[in-house]
Amino acid sequence: QSLSAKFTAAAARVAARVPGGLANEPLARIRANDDAIQHATTLGPVLRVYAKAGVDGRAQLFSILLEELLADEDQQKEEKVAT
């Protein structure tokens, strides 16, 4: 099961911004705004994204997202060659 399949739509929006280099607090604000939560400075939403992904932090999440992206690209190339 792909990592993105583990996320809700809101959590996926946070995870998609990790490679862009946003710090945890701005990521938490994005997630908080999506859920209309008034506690924008809490890191809880970001930590839940890490927990759902089964990682301890940003570097591990980035690594998994990158691996999946590269695997998808490789699969698309293989499909083009096969056709």
Side-chain angles (χ1 to χ4, degrees):
Q1 180 181 15
S2 74
L3 179 61
S4 58
K6 297 179 182 181
F7 295 139
T8 62
R13 285 190 290 276
V14 172
R17 287 175 174 83
V18 167
L22 282 179
N24 285 346
E25 192 168 314
L27 286 171
R29 281 196 294 270
I30 290 167
R31 181 69 165 89
N33 289 340
D34 280 350
D35 289 346
I37 297 171
Q38 298 303 315
H39 306 291
T41 59
T42 182
L43 293 180
V46 175
L47 298 178
R48 282 192 296 275
V49 167
Y50 293 161
K52 283 182 182 182
V55 299
D56 294 325
R58 166 187 309 275
Q60 287 179 321
L61 181 59
F62 180 79
S63 175
I64 291 171
L65 291 170
L66 184 59
E67 285 176 14
E68 285 189 3
L69 178 65
L70 293 174
D72 287 345
E73 286 181 3
D74 288 344
Q75 183 178 0
Q76 289 175 359
K77 287 178 184 176
E78 289 175 9
E79 289 172 358
K80 284 183 181 179
V81 169
T83 55

